[in-house]
Amino acid sequence: MATEAPQVRTTAGSVRGSYEHDTGVFRGIPFAQPPFGPRRFRVPQRPEPWGGVREATSFGPPPPQTMRPAPGAPPAAASPDPAPDCLTINVWSPDPAGRLPVMVWIYGGAYLVGSADQPVYDGANLAGEGVVVVTFNHRVGVDGFVSLVGAPDNRGLLDQVAALTWVQENIAAFGGDPSKVTVFGESAGAGSIAALLAMPSTEGLFRRAIMQSVPGTYFTPALGRDVATRIGAELGLSPTAADFSTRTPAQLSDATNALTAKMPGLVNSWGKVARTVTPLSPIVDGEVLPTSPWAALESGTASDVELISGWMHDEYRIFHVLDGTLANADDHEADFMLGLLGPAGDPAAAYRKAYPAKSPGELIEVVFSDWLFRMATLRLAQHHAAAGGRSFVYEVCLPAPAENGAYGACHGFDVPLTFGNFGDSRALGPDGPTAEVLEVSRRIRTAWTSFAKTGDPGWSPFRAADQNAQVFDATTAETDGIEATSQALWRGHDFTEVDLIGRIAVAGPDRSVRTSTGTVVDFRRETVRGLAGSVRRGERSARELVAHALDRIESLNPKLHAFVAYDGDRAMERARAIDDAVARGEDPGPLAGLPLGVKDLEDAAGYVTTRGSRLHEDDEPAATSSVLVTRLEAAGAVVIGKTNTPELGSSPDTSNLLFGPTYNPWSLDHSPGGSSGGSAAAVAAGMVMLATGSDGGGSIRIPSSCCGLSGMKPSLGRIPDGGKAAPGWLDLSSKGVLARTMADVAEALDVAVGPEPTDLRSLPRSEGSWAVPDEPGVPLRVAWSPTLGYAEVDRAVLEACERAVGLLEGLGAEVTVVDTVFDADPFREWITTTQACNYRSLGHVLGTPDAERLTPGLRSSVEAGGALSAGDFVKALDACHRLNLRLVELFETADLLLTPTCAGPPPRSGQPGEINGERVPDWVRFTYPFNMTRSPAATVCAGIDPAGLPVGIQLIGPQHADLAVIQAAAALEAAIGLDPVAPGWDSGPE
């Protein structure tokens, strides 16, 4: 028995270890400098040389830990604060004077935790089989795997390369053969090894590899960047190395934990990854990791490396036993998870057919095991073998003894089996290893060390023809067709890196994201020109904006009911095409990447246009988009989905029998107005930056006023309808766009106006740009009419509007008060026109069962329209002529007319309006006259009333003076100086 402490000379200096049962053991040898201070988030640097002999009898400190990621994982270190010399390496050598094969272990821990000092990683048992065993620390968590601007990606992998380089340079002095290095690892350690196989920097560093349960998650830079921005958002940081360096590892750990807790709600952005236990994975960055491991092995990269890869039969069961999924999941949850995680097609049906006896929880466990570990690992072996590499496959089927075998052959149980150390494994239970466990452990250790020595683990190389593998169970045997059922389900599926995506999913908490520039994405704080410009310049991606829109919708729509349909996959595909165009040097347009809501009265390709009506809920999806939507998309906007509307747009309150009511972001007890209320609520809550609307009696201006937005009803014909169908409300309704500011509205209108041959009413575009100039013009002469001559106005509304008019006067406008604009309220003539149009559209359902499916108010309107005569309709049109003559007279002495937008504040949901505390039905008496005159009319937020609800002021211009209205509205906005953002929605509604 050796007694003198072994001493070895490394490239940095001499170290002295100890003998433990005739094995030379060296612990805590630096292989790189401490990765803190000026070296934080940097490539690892070679260790500083030291003089004398360094004692190597204690493990180095662990790297900063993030969390205990999952049941059964190694516990995190007591303190995540940085410690010097955490990048250290440990060696067990049975013969320091020999030349033995070398096995280098890379620990797992979900890329969040891990350190080589864990008792389970003690290398003595393996070294007793005649190999040199090496373990080491590498950076994990934020320091190791978060993608930061100004720092290399995959720093944890770079640490591993540095450790393997140290092995090549030094292991001979410890009795190892640098030409016979085998890397082996489990879970994140195996995922790291798969990445190392794809990295050019690892060439010649190892000859063989053993990958135990490779997690099939490697991230695109976009997803990696999104993870970083979300972690940074928890601390108010931009995703840069400079910003993150201002926080301790403990603070970054807390932020990562906070994000991890939110992951289940991120399915629409992160897809399958959102349902795992970790937000981190290696980044396929094109530099450190040029391509995904599957693509690398398929192309023959590392075909000279001999490979063992395998998995546990019941990989994910322990997690689902401990969190209750296995016992408590229902069919709905199973269908969702099967659809989310499974391969293409109808995975829910396929899995149920393949496993008819399994419960919902068992189906979830199987699909999780297949996607995340088993099939992902198998595909690596298949690609490696097909490219000419020597590959071996195994499966461990021995159940862990804890809880009477309830965990099955679970994830992580192979670690104590590999090392033969059974001190604190949760999978073993209080009674420790059984005789079967000890025997399977012996077989695995023999196979692994034999492979390290000779390249032969004791069973046949993997063959594509029969998919053969070694099964480690109570009776170990080689079998063909390993996991044949799952293989059949996943046949043809290509594993690749996970991208930032859009997907309709369950609602979760609000997730504000930061872009690659580090700026918080908040559509309520951005401008159309600025945000789209950043996409056009490649500073931000369209996918980031779409992902944020989907996040907000998933978070807030259950409370607001603004969207009635949305499709994250379709939107993300469109966003990806925009990003690709930018990458090719193309300009996707002035609205590049901006998410767009489309009012459910007009067509958006791929969506059913329900019109808020049960009569249309089963219609086929629209094959093409409306003219307005088509033009906005051509300018780079991305349709996210359809927004709610009252049935056929027939009410100033957005509610219908098909989807129910939409609520106001300023107060969930109140209406957002109508009929473009879904669009207004979506913009006001920051779900989207732009949304379409239509206005036949105030349906853009009313909800804009109720939700604190700017809205514009252009002159009739500025934005054409077009297509085969005649316009719904004939010469009353104009289409437009809702946004937070008039400048944003104008940016969208600028790409939408212009003639359309199929619309008889469409106007030519004779003006130049509609965009608001840096200094919009102030009208010289303004007529202010607080009542139009017939309308009672709420005191709070009137006060806010009068303050706004005073501000305009302060800018130099000459203001004239006009008590009477119209001799009488033209409501009777307006409603006559709408009733006639409604009868034209729906008269055929009267007397049929379908009539009972209509909203009662709409049904009454259709019935009234059927009782009208042609003379009634023509007289209503004559009234439009007379109203316009009155405006012609007024505009001889005024450039613009100003009125309140609504006579009262937003009403309570489902209730009549209120004026001065009294309930009244006619709280929207200021808007419809200007539909009858076809005049351009806009609204901006004039103030907030004592109840905390926004008040709008309306600006009306002469025929076709749209640009004058836009510029005056923008100037008034600036003078008012409000920032009308609905409170309480930065982290989701209460």
Side-chain angles (χ1 to χ4, degrees), residues 868-901:
L868 294 171
S869 67
D872 295 329
F873 181 69
V874 173
K875 288 179 181 178
L877 296 181
D878 288 345
C880 297
H881 177 72
R882 291 194 301 273
L883 294 174
N884 183 59
L885 290 179
R886 178 67 187 99
L887 289 185
V888 170
E889 180 184 350
L890 183 146
F891 287 129
E892 288 178 355
T893 58
D895 300 312
L896 290 178
L897 169 64
L898 269 64
T899 77
T901 306

Side-chain angles (χ1 to χ4, degrees), residues 766-853:
S766 57
E767 298 92 344
S769 173
W770 279 44
V772 173
D774 293 336
E775 295 185 7
V778 177
L780 298 178
R781 303 171 301 169
V782 172
W784 158 239
S785 182
T787 69
L788 286 179
Y790 57 79
E792 181 185 3
V793 182
D794 185 85
R795 285 186 295 272
V797 170
L798 188 60
E799 289 174 2
C801 290
E802 287 181 335
R803 284 195 300 270
V805 172
L807 291 170
L808 197 59
E809 191 171 22
L811 294 177
E814 178 186 329
V815 176
T816 301
V817 178
V818 180
D819 292 325
T820 301
V821 175
F822 303 122
D823 294 333
D825 184 350
F827 177 76
R828 181 68 262 166
E829 291 83 359
W830 176 81
I831 199 68
T832 294
T833 306
T834 66
Q835 289 170 344
C837 292
N838 287 339
Y839 180 76
R840 186 271 310 265
S841 300
L842 292 171
H844 64 282
V845 307
L846 296 178
T848 74
D850 278 343
E852 300 304 314
R853 303 177 69 189

Side-chain angles (χ1 to χ4, degrees), residues 535-589:
V535 173
R536 298 166 78 184
R537 293 187 298 271
E539 297 169 355
R540 291 164 165 160
S541 73
R543 283 175 289 182
E544 288 173 331
L545 304 189
V546 168
H548 176 60
L550 293 167
D551 283 351
R552 293 288 288 185
I553 293 169
E554 292 294 348
S555 173
L556 307 182
N557 204 55
K559 290 289 184 74
L560 288 173
H561 302 164
F563 277 87
V564 298
Y566 52 100
D567 187 339
D569 288 336
R570 180 189 298 269
M572 196 58 72
E573 181 179 352
R574 164 72 173 152
R576 185 175 289 108
I578 291 171
D579 291 338
D580 290 345
V582 171
R584 292 192 299 268
E586 301 170 5
D587 185 353

Side-chain angles (χ1 to χ4, degrees), residues 602-655:
E602 66 179 314
D603 290 344
Y607 290 91
V608 175
T609 306
T610 73
R611 300 171 178 83
S613 175
R614 293 185 294 179
L615 297 181
H616 296 288
E617 61 182 314
D618 296 322
D619 287 1
E620 291 296 318
T624 58
S625 295
S626 69
V627 173
L628 171 57
V629 174
T630 297
R631 291 178 178 180
L632 294 173
E633 286 187 296
V638 179
V639 172
I640 294 291
K642 303 298 287 292
T643 58
N644 202 17
T645 179
E647 189 169 20
L648 271 67
S650 59
S651 169
D653 179 29
T654 298
S655 182

Side-chain angles (χ1 to χ4, degrees), residues 185-205:
E186 181 266 348
S187 194
S192 294
I193 292 171
L196 294 174
L197 289 168
M199 293 165 54
S201 60
T202 65
E203 185 175 358
L205 296 184

